[in-house]
Amino acid sequence: MNAIDKAIQIVGGKSSLARAIGVTPQMVSQWTRAEKPKPIPVTRCVAIERATGGAVSRKDLRPNDWHLIWPEFEEAKNQDASDDAQPPVGTSSRKAKKK
């Protein structure tokens, strides 16, 4: 199941999603067409993320270009990765106390 279909299911249908994000049901249908679906506009991705309580993220909706649109997510991901870094084996993250 792709991201927009998941959002539709979570919110309770195309009409419910459309109401929640302020577009017509026809617009939502255009995003779900089997042949040549319209891309989901950047301005609607955050609204869909909020309408689904974060279950469908803007990264899910724009997998090929989210990092260009919302670079702060890429920076946050890199920051999280550096926070998880462990000291090299055989060293301590604490400085030795002088006696």
Side-chain angles (χ1 to χ4, degrees):
M1 178 181 298
N2 67 29
I4 191 63
D5 288 331
K6 183 178 176 184
I8 290 165
Q9 182 180 30
I10 289 168
V11 177
K14 290 178 183 177
S15 293
S16 295
L17 179 62
R19 269 192 308 277
I21 65 171
V23 299
T24 64
Q26 291 80 9
M27 178 61 71
V28 175
S29 291
Q30 290 178 7
W31 300 333
T32 63
R33 288 190 301 218
E35 290 184 30
K36 295 183 87 177
K38 282 193 167 192
I40 300 166
V42 172
T43 56
R44 299 299 179 195
C45 291
V46 175
I48 294 169
E49 185 177 65
R50 289 182 181 149
T52 62
V56 176
S57 73
R58 57 191 101 171
K59 291 180 186 181
D60 299 330
L61 295 163
R62 303 286 301 222
N64 298 324
D65 60 0
W66 67 266
H67 61 285
L68 301 172
I69 302 164
W70 301 286
E72 64 274 12
F73 286 118
E74 184 70 15
E75 293 165 8
K77 184 176 84 171
N78 292 337
Q79 180 62 40
D80 289 344
S82 68
D83 288 346
D84 293 338
Q86 300 294 318
V89 175
T91 64
S92 173
S93 61
R94 298 181 188 170
K95 293 184 179 181
K97 292 183 180 178
K98 291 185 179 182
K99 294 183 180 182

